[in-house]
Amino acid sequence: MSWNDMQPLLYDNALDTLFMVWWSTFYAVLVGIPVGVLLHLTDRGAMLQNVVVNKVLGAIVNIGRSFPFLILIVVLIPFTRLVVGVSIGPTGAVVPLAIAAIPFFARLVEAALREVDHGLVEAAQAMGGGTWTIVFKVLLPQALPALVAAVTTTVITLIGYSAIAGAVGGGGLGNLAYTYGYQQYETSLMITTVVELIVLVTLVQVLGDLIVRRLARRGGRAATVRVGLRRVRAEEPAAVTEAA
């Protein structure tokens, strides 16, 4: 196959891959952040400690993460057809991709929130901040670099999953590599597809690292959080304790 013949195939299937990864990432972030926040808030010693909710939600997340993606695609075929009307092609692949990514991303969110300086949380609580005030003004802003890193990791994982989805009718670069590169022995096309995937993953990683570094530098200054009309610093809990 000549380069002129490969160009339209590579372009169209790259767009399909970007379509699958974009929308599955969108839904993973949309659902994964609330799930991760709830896992964090209901953990032992947390603000909304609830062992039952935490264990049940954690079990659901663990089950979702334990499914091999290829099996998950097959299991979800009836649900995928019900939701989007098709079970193949890029649109059909978005559903299993998103469902696979949600529990994965939720655990990364939980881990990111766990790393937030507990002194800031205590300071915000001392100034009368409620649970959701602390979530939106302390936990999420302070965990932003780690959350961006989590999104980067999730996107790279989804690029790999999209190639698997493509091999079973999901479209995209995986479908191109399997249909033309493997089944029709077009070695040059398969190599080009692999290189394209490597370039895509590298660009995502570089961009994600750049954003994380900038956010980390900005957050490296003395951490302050506005609660109501007061600006709270991480040192305030100690001052409150001494005053008591």
Side-chain angles (χ1 to χ4, degrees):
M1 182 180 292
S2 68
W3 173 247
N4 288 334
D5 294 329
M6 286 194 295
Q7 273 187 309
L9 288 173
L10 289 168
Y11 178 76
D12 291 341
N13 285 277
L15 289 180
D16 287 343
T17 294
L18 292 175
F19 173 86
M20 290 187 286
V21 172
W22 167 262
W23 283 109
S24 54
T25 301
F26 173 79
Y27 291 119
V29 172
L30 186 67
V31 180
I33 286 181
V35 173
V37 169
L38 190 57
L39 282 168
H40 177 71
L41 292 179
T42 56
D43 201 3
R44 293 183 185 276
M47 289 177 287
L48 299 179
Q49 176 178 320
N50 189 314
V51 176
V52 174
V53 171
N54 187 266
K55 293 296 183 184
V56 171
L57 187 59
I60 294 172
V61 168
N62 290 338
I63 291 171
R65 293 176 65 197
S66 66
F67 263 90
F69 182 64
L70 192 57
I71 296 175
L72 185 66
I73 294 175
V74 176
V75 170
L76 289 175
I77 285 176
F79 178 73
T80 301
R81 192 177 289 118
L82 177 66
V83 172
V84 296
V86 294
S87 59
I88 59 174
T91 302
V94 168
V95 175
L97 283 170
I99 291 176
I102 286 169
F104 176 79
F105 183 67
R107 282 298 187 191
L108 294 179
V109 171
E110 181 190 16
L113 297 178
R114 194 179 294 131
E115 296 301 316
V116 173
D117 183 3
H118 193 63
L120 279 174
V121 176
E122 291 179 342
Q125 287 177 318
M127 299 309 300
T131 299
W132 299 112
T133 298
I134 292 171
V135 168
F136 289 109
K137 293 191 176 182
V138 181
L139 290 176
L140 292 178
Q142 292 300 314
L144 192 55
L147 292 176
V148 172
V151 172
T152 303
T153 302
T154 303
V155 170
I156 291 173
T157 301
L158 284 170
I159 292 172
Y161 281 175
S162 72
I164 299 173
V168 291
L173 294 173
N175 179 65
L176 181 64
Y178 180 74
T179 304
Y180 289 90
Y182 176 72
Q183 292 187 326
Q184 299 185 22
Y185 303 102
E186 293 286 351
T187 306
S188 59
L189 180 60
M190 179 176 283
I191 293 173
T192 305
T193 303
V194 171
V195 171
E196 195 166 354
L197 285 169
I198 292 172
V199 170
L200 183 58
V201 167
T202 302
L203 289 174
V204 171
Q205 187 67 64
V206 169
L207 179 61
D209 289 345
L210 178 64
I211 296 173
V212 169
R213 283 196 295 269
R214 289 190 174 181
L215 290 172
R217 281 200 298 269
R218 185 182 303 173
R221 308 166 196 158
T224 60
V225 180
R226 185 176 293 279
V227 179
L229 300 177
R230 295 284 305 276
R231 287 185 69 82
V232 179
R233 299 177 64 90
E235 302 83 29
E236 283 196 23
V240 170
T241 303
E242 289 175 8

